Amino acid sequence: DAKTTQPNSMESNEEEPVHLPCNHSTISGTDYIHWYRQLPSQGPEYVIHGLTSNVNNRMASLAIAEDRKSSTLILHRATLRDAAVYYCILRRSGSARQLTFGSGTQLTVLP
Amino acid sequence: KAGVTQTPRYLIKTRGQQVTLSCSPISGHRSVSWYQQTPGQGLQFLFEYFSETQRNKGNFPGRFSGRQFSNSRSEMNVSTLELGDSALYLCASSPVGDLGNTIYFGEGSWLTVV
């Protein structure tokens, strides 16, 4: 099964950009890259997803390496409300709605 | 549009008892999946239902079971509760379609087994 590797924790200052990296060297051609985040005492929340091209939405941007072996979630201006655990997940072919969560990155935003 | 609704939000049970958790997916979503989250094991997939049929199952003992009704609502049941079953149980729903579809999670049901 394709696996992702993320740093355990990162810190950012409020109102500065944050780049959260994810490595997925065994990704297959049909795996989508999804990012979810989980705020304390809440269920995971969808952030963004992509396949090959960079993606932008109102929450974040997703930059995908040309070889697709890594990706970066970009929060353009971190706020205190962005403090959460961020999960980078590959949607596996054949198990379309089964998400395999790693340990994620705990993002701390400093005021 | 209402989100994924889980009930109850909090409950306490005694070892050996059983528990049933309920999930109402987003209207129009036919796929419902369940996850268990514990501090030690993180988020783990339990099972997924689509059109009242279990399509995928995670690595959990048979004490964990579920079902889906014709209106896509789902329940999961844990029998003979153990202390280690204390966890946040999350339900998620998604529309049918390709792998790019978003999965939406509920707030979860906090189960404490004493």
Side-chain angles (χ1 to χ4, degrees), chain B residues 19-91:
Chain B
V19 66
T20 298
L21 307 177
S22 180
C23 173
S24 293
I26 291 172
S27 177
H29 288 190
R30 290 164 60 192
S31 168
V32 174
S33 49
W34 290 87
Y35 293 78
Q36 181 197 63
Q37 186 171 28
T38 60
Q41 299 297 320
L43 270 156
Q44 293 185 288
F45 172 79
L46 278 159
F47 28 65
E48 184 222 348
Y49 286 87
F50 176 76
S51 292
E52 303 177 64
T53 301
Q54 188 181 89
R55 295 207 298 186
N56 288 298
K57 190 177 191 312
N59 189 25
F60 279 82
R63 299 185 298 108
F64 292 81
S65 62
R67 60 178 176 169
Q68 186 180 33
F69 303 95
S70 58
N71 61 0
S72 294
R73 194 176 67 83
S74 177
E75 289 181 347
M76 68 161 284
N77 182 277
V78 187
S79 62
T80 319
L81 283 166
E82 301 176 359
L83 296 179
D85 297 332
S86 296
L88 175 64
Y89 290 88
L90 292 158
C91 172

Side-chain angles (χ1 to χ4, degrees), chain A residues 64-78:
Chain A
I64 301 173
E66 198 168 330
D67 62 6
R68 300 211 324 128
K69 294 186 176 181
S70 65
S71 61
T72 302
L73 177 70
I74 303 165
L75 306 180
H76 296 287
R77 286 180 74 237

Side-chain angles (χ1 to χ4, degrees), chain A residues 36 43-45 99 101, chain B residues 4 35 43 90-93 103-107:
Chain A
Y36 284 76
E45 174 189 29
L99 298 180
F101 287 85
Chain B
V4 178
Y35 293 78
L43 270 156
L90 292 158
C91 172
S93 76
I103 293 179
Y104 297 87
F105 285 82
E107 300 267 293

Side-chain angles (χ1 to χ4, degrees), chain A residues 9 11-12 25 32 38 46 59 61 64 78-79 87 91 94 96 100:
Chain A
S9 63
E11 276 187 0
S12 172
S25 59
Y32 279 77
Q38 188 173 22
Y46 167 80
M59 288 182 70
S61 295
I64 301 173
T79 69
Y87 297 99
R91 291 283 293 275
T100 300

Side-chain angles (χ1 to χ4, degrees), chain A residues 48-63:
Chain A
I48 200 167
H49 77 275
L51 183 61
T52 55
S53 305
N54 295 344
V55 184
N56 300 295
N57 66 20
R58 65 175 180 80
M59 288 182 70
S61 295
L62 176 60

